Amino acid sequence: MGIQIYNTLTRQKEAFKPIEEGKVRMYVCGPTVYNYIHIGNARPAIVFDTVRKYFQYQNYDVHYVLNFTDVDDKLIKAANELGSEVPEIAERFIEAYKEDVGAFGVEEAVDHPRVTENMSEIIEFINTLVEKGHAYESGGDVYFRTRSFDSYGKLSQQSIDELRTGARIEVGEKKEDPLDFTLWKTTKDGEIAWESPWGEGRPGWHIECSAMAKKYLGDTIDIHAGGQDLTFPHHENEIAQSEALNEKQFANYWMHNGYIKIENEKMSKSLGNFVLVHDIIKHHDPQVIRFFMLSVHYRHPINFSEALLEGAKNSLDRIKNAYENLEHRKQSTTNQTEDDEQWIQKVEAYKNTFIEEMDDDFNTANAISVLFDLTKDANVYLQSPHTSEHVISSFQQTLSELAEVLGIRVAGEDELLDEEIDALIQERIDARKNRNFQRADEIRDDLKERGIILEDTPQGTRWKRG
């Protein structure tokens, strides 16, 4: 049947049909980079990285775009509190984001566009909406004329009248209609701003993704993805802007991951259960956290707790131990046994079942169950008095291959000694002093690939094993 995707727009699973054969144009809403990301932000990073990996496993060329919101009210507030500038705050936490999700094995996007680097495209987008009558200027601000888009509410499946009931015009806003939303806002004195046809200001939140998706992926894209909380108003507003401008469908498939709770409570700073990725990966193996995140279907809510994380560690260890036991048994195998073909067919059947589960809306929970079944049979095979290197290699290759689709490493790696890491860190420090930033980045990236995470602090560079 091929890949089936649950489309939030239609509320049903649909066969995936790309715009261009063999290629996927995929846009994922990224973070607002004013602080370290929390564990809730990690879920879409891991989930949609896995979706990307599976498409690649199925030989698709994936153009994966994830944006950074590097200017908004939160960044301005953070810059004022820290006595810094908005671009410096953004750069600091973009690098922190890449380090944090990189520890989970999340691959960098093909493009990581930033709002500040696409201002001309955003202004042009807004200006065209004004010219078409879908937007209007009022007191230096620009608003989208929501009622001009007849299909508004189709993603969240709300009628315009239902939405109108709860809509309000805030103090200082000069809207024609409470439902209208901001495309461009006049900035206050001392705030970062850009010149525009409507005076100095900066974009509203929703417009940036529409403009950057159009620039990097085209008028219509295959998949738009993000957290469930973005369905309304953010993604609803993106659809309105993009389809009003381009007069064609914006995204063919909409994917949204479910919420995360902490110990069965909504995550909140006031409850003291606000978990930053930057902190948790200091105490837990990032691979275990990734495995845990994928143990529940991406559309379902997930409860995050120390006990559940420990359970995920034990489960992942079972798979890794099976792989290591297979490796150990290689030393005492025969070239061939009479039931080789039967075992090879069993292993191949597990692979086919894994693919069927992933084809079914990327059901990683069931795919992991297949890995457990494969592991169980591997352990049964190892109880045989005579084992074949051919069968053992088949078990190992399949375990490693399928786990890698999920971004999980089951094969052991040669670990660097502490003194080797320290020597490379010193080389990186020297390279940065000599402004050889290319070499410094090469060392950091090489260490990250080998499971070593660096953290630059005022007290020096620290490292930990990922």
Side-chain angles (χ1 to χ4, degrees):
M1 291 179 62
I3 296 173
Q4 304 279 315
I5 298 177
Y6 182 87
N7 190 348
T8 308
L9 186 64
T10 61
R11 298 297 197 273
Q12 63 184 7
K13 290 180 188 176
E14 300 175 2
F16 177 69
K17 297 178 181 177
I19 296 167
E20 188 176 352
E21 191 65 33
K23 296 188 177 180
V24 181
R25 303 173 191 176
M26 185 171 180
Y27 188 98
V28 179
C29 284
T32 301
V33 285
Y34 70 101
N35 201 342
Y36 295 108
I37 61 168
H38 55 70
I39 198 68
N41 303 130
R43 192 177 191 192
I46 291 169
V47 162
F48 298 119
D49 176 69
T50 305
V51 170
R52 175 194 193 178
K53 282 177 166 58
Y54 187 66
F55 272 121
Q56 291 171 331
Y57 180 69
Q58 295 290 20
N59 297 314
Y60 283 92
D61 176 14
V62 185
H63 189 163
Y64 189 92
V65 177
L66 183 142
N67 71 295
F68 291 123
T69 299
D70 62 344
V71 60
D72 86 331
D73 291 342
K74 292 177 180 176
L75 274 142
I76 291 170
K77 181 182 178 182
N80 290 337
E81 289 175 350
L82 296 173
S84 185
E85 300 293 330
V86 168
E88 293 174 6
I89 296 294
E91 189 63 36
R92 173 183 171 185
F93 289 113
I94 284 172
E95 287 305 309
Y97 173 86
K98 290 180 179 180
E99 291 282 349
D100 286 347
V101 300
F104 296 128
V106 172
E107 186 180 352
E108 283 205 28
V110 174
D111 292 300
H112 274 306
R114 307 183 187 192
V115 177
T116 58
E117 294 174 352
N118 291 276
M119 202 59 68
S120 60
E121 287 83 2
I122 292 170
I123 291 171
E124 181 184 355
F125 198 113
I126 297 171
N127 203 40
T128 306
L129 285 173
V130 172
E131 291 173 354
K132 286 190 165 193
H134 290 292
Y136 59 94
E137 184 269 339
S138 178
D141 297 329
V142 182
Y143 299 99
F144 184 84
R145 191 173 275 122
T146 301
R147 291 182 185 274
S148 73
F149 184 67
D150 293 338
S151 300
Y152 192 80
K154 64 180 178 179
L155 182 67
S156 55
Q157 296 192 349
Q158 302 177 82
S159 72
I160 198 92
D161 292 326
E162 288 172 335
L163 293 167
R164 175 70 173 79
T165 302
R168 297 286 185 272
I169 296 178
E170 301 296 332
V171 175
E173 293 182 328
K174 301 175 182 177
K175 300 179 181 180
E176 295 177 353
D177 188 308
L179 282 176
D180 297 346
F181 57 88
T182 305
L183 300 175
W184 187 265
K185 58 170 66 176
T186 302
T187 48
K188 300 171 185 175
D189 289 343
E191 289 184 348
I192 187 169
W194 287 261
E195 288 290 343
S196 79
W198 319 285
E200 285 195 347
R202 54 188 167 86
W205 176 36
H206 311 298
I207 191 65
E208 64 185 70
C209 290
S210 286
M212 291 189 285
K214 177 180 175 68
K215 176 180 177 180
Y216 289 90
L217 296 173
D219 292 352
T220 301
I221 66 178
D222 290 300
I223 298 171
H224 198 313
Q228 183 181 334
D229 57 311
L230 299 180
T231 307
F232 185 87
H234 185 53
H235 288 164
E236 194 77 71
N237 290 351
E238 282 189 58
I239 289 175
Q241 297 160 167
S242 294
E243 296 187 5
L245 182 83
N246 300 319
E247 299 179 10
K248 58 183 70 171
Q249 185 154 316
F250 177 33
N252 290 336
Y253 305 88
W254 287 86
M255 297 180 68
H256 294 92
N257 65 272
Y259 293 109
I260 284 187
K261 288 188 175 182
I262 308 295
E263 303 281 0
N264 291 310
E265 294 272 7
K266 183 179 179 181
M267 185 166 57
S268 163
K269 288 182 179 178
S270 62
L271 294 174
N273 64 355
F274 199 75
V275 181
L276 295 178
V277 171
H278 188 71
D279 295 327
I280 199 166
I281 60 177
K282 294 176 182 176
H283 308 290
H284 295 280
D285 182 351
Q287 282 274 291
V288 171
I289 297 172
R290 182 179 184 118
F291 185 83
F292 167 76
M293 291 285 192
L294 298 179
S295 66
V296 174
H297 191 283
Y298 77 89
R299 287 191 286 111
H300 298 166
I302 188 170
N303 185 41
F304 189 89
S305 72
E306 290 289 333
L308 291 171
L309 208 55
E310 184 63 26
K313 179 183 182 303
N314 294 336
S315 296
L316 180 55
D317 283 345
R318 278 169 52 197
I319 298 173
K320 289 184 174 182
N321 290 339
Y323 186 94
E324 291 174 5
N325 291 339
L326 288 162
E327 183 68 27
H328 180 73
R329 189 60 177 270
K330 272 184 177 178
Q331 300 169 15
S332 56
T333 58
T334 59
N335 290 332
Q336 191 172 2
T337 61
E338 55 185 51
D339 57 356
D340 278 13
E341 191 57 36
Q342 180 184 345
W343 281 106
I344 295 296
Q345 288 177 2
K346 257 192 163 184
V347 172
E348 188 65 24
Y350 282 125
K351 181 175 178 179
N352 292 336
T353 304
F354 179 94
I355 290 170
E356 287 172 7
E357 297 295 355
M358 289 297 288
D359 277 352
D360 184 13
D361 194 30
F362 311 97
N363 195 331
T364 56
N366 285 0
I368 285 173
S369 293
V370 175
L371 289 183
F372 286 142
D373 291 339
L374 180 60
T375 296
K376 182 179 178 180
D377 257 2
N379 289 331
V380 169
Y381 180 72
L382 289 174
Q383 300 305 312
S384 307
H386 301 291
T387 53
S388 159
E389 184 175 351
H390 183 44
V391 175
I392 283 179
S393 294
S394 179
F395 269 115
Q396 282 190 299
Q397 181 180 340
T398 304
L399 266 175
S400 181
E401 176 184 322
L402 301 184
E404 189 61 37
V405 172
L406 303 178
I408 302 296
R409 298 186 307 271
V410 296
E413 297 181 1
D414 295 332
E415 285 199 344
L416 287 168
L417 298 175
D418 289 4
E419 52 265 33
E420 292 175 313
I421 298 170
D422 291 336
L424 284 168
I425 288 175
Q426 186 57 52
E427 183 183 347
R428 178 172 176 263
I429 292 170
D430 294 340
R432 293 175 76 179
K433 284 180 180 176
N434 296 326
R435 304 191 67 78
N436 186 353
F437 299 114
Q438 181 177 348
R439 176 56 184 155
D441 289 344
E442 286 174 356
I443 294 170
R444 181 198 63 196
D445 294 342
D446 178 55
L447 286 171
K448 184 164 70 172
E449 286 179 10
R450 299 169 77 172
I452 307 301
I453 309 302
L454 302 185
E455 180 183 0
D456 294 316
T457 73
Q459 292 75 37
T461 301
R462 297 174 179 171
W463 64 268
K464 61 180 179 289
R465 297 186 188 275

